[in-house]
Amino acid sequence: MALLDILIFPDKRLRTVAAPVEQFDDGLQQLIDDMFETMYDAPGIGLAATQINVHQQVVVMDLSEAKNEPQVFINPKILQEAGEEEMQEGCLSIPTVYETIKRSETVTVEALDRNGKKYRLDADGLLAVCIQHEVDHLLGKMFVDYLSPLKRDRIRKKMTKLIRDQES
Ligand code: K1U
Ligand code: ZN
């Protein structure tokens, strides 16, 4: 397994729209395992392939305390959304920044598991928020896009400084 580099906002590669997965081969299994290792190490509760500069529709998640409930979403599609909810969100591509974002309260998602088997999931609470956040990543969208241009620009400057400080 391998730890992968996570792209940091405002990296333009985070704006790439991911392509559907068509082959459930060894390369995909390796990618999923590496994404879990990277997500647990960060630490985070979700990771989209876009964030590690792989532009395929792959998402990994684990919302459990014990980090023993891994979930894989391949080619996820949100079929239904209802209600509204505000929740504080973080993003591994925007480290140290947490903002309150308004999203749908419940979602029904259809996806394939790591073996290509189709499943449906009804989600609410943090799981529903995390699914919407990760599906946005696959579409090249980030949570800062829901903020005012002023707030987004402040975060962009903060991240640019963080990257510059890390490089020096
Ligand atoms: O996609 C990502 O950037 C991962 C992100 C997922 C997410 C978190 C909260 C609301 C919506 C989406 C994160 O995992 S940020 C880190 C985080 O939330 C966390 C880290 C350690 C323990 C518990 C949570
Ligand atoms: Zn994110």
Side-chain angles (χ1 to χ4, degrees):
M1 290 214 281
L3 281 181
L4 308 166
D5 286 336
I6 298 175
L7 300 176
I8 303 298
F9 174 79
D11 194 309
K12 284 190 169 56
R13 291 171 290 182
L14 286 163
R15 298 310 187 171
T16 311
V17 177
V21 171
E22 283 170 6
Q23 293 198 347
F24 290 77
D25 55 12
D26 289 350
L28 178 69
Q29 305 308 319
Q30 186 64 58
L31 172 67
I32 292 167
D33 290 342
D34 290 348
M35 284 177 65
F36 272 118
E37 191 180 1
T38 303
M39 181 193 77
Y40 287 130
D41 178 75
I45 55 173
L47 185 71
T50 310
Q51 295 175 275
I52 45 109
N53 199 29
V54 173
H55 302 290
Q56 293 186 52
Q57 294 177 17
V58 181
V59 165
V60 297
M61 244 182 248
D62 189 340
L63 271 64
S64 70
E65 280 282 314
K67 302 290 165 213
N68 60 0
E69 291 173 25
Q71 288 178 284
V72 176
F73 300 79
I74 294 170
N75 302 344
K77 283 181 192 62
I78 295 178
L79 303 178
Q80 278 185 0
E81 309 183 43
E84 267 187 0
E85 182 174 39
E86 286 193 333
M87 201 180 279
Q88 209 177 53
E89 295 191 21
C91 181
L92 297 178
S93 296
I94 316 178
T96 74
V97 174
Y98 289 85
E99 293 286 344
T100 301
I101 308 290
K102 193 188 283 182
R103 295 201 188 257
S104 301
E105 191 180 3
T106 62
V107 296
T108 301
V109 64
E110 187 174 84
L112 305 173
D113 69 13
R114 64 187 298 158
N115 302 309
K117 190 167 183 287
K118 194 182 273 188
Y119 68 94
R120 255 182 212 198
L121 180 69
D122 294 317
D124 60 10
L126 181 58
L127 179 59
V129 168
C130 202
I131 288 169
Q132 292 170 78
H133 179 113
E134 302 306 339
V135 169
D136 270 357
H137 273 307
L138 299 179
L139 297 169
K141 198 165 177 181
M142 303 192 69
F143 83 66
V144 288
D145 300 346
Y146 298 98
L147 304 174
S148 69
L150 182 69
K151 260 193 173 172
R152 191 163 51 246
D153 203 48
R154 280 200 191 128
I155 294 169
R156 186 182 58 75
K157 286 182 180 138
K158 186 176 176 182
M159 290 301 110
T160 305
K161 183 174 181 311
L162 188 106
I163 293 165
R164 210 183 314 123
D165 290 350
Q166 276 174 356
E167 283 169 354
S168 64

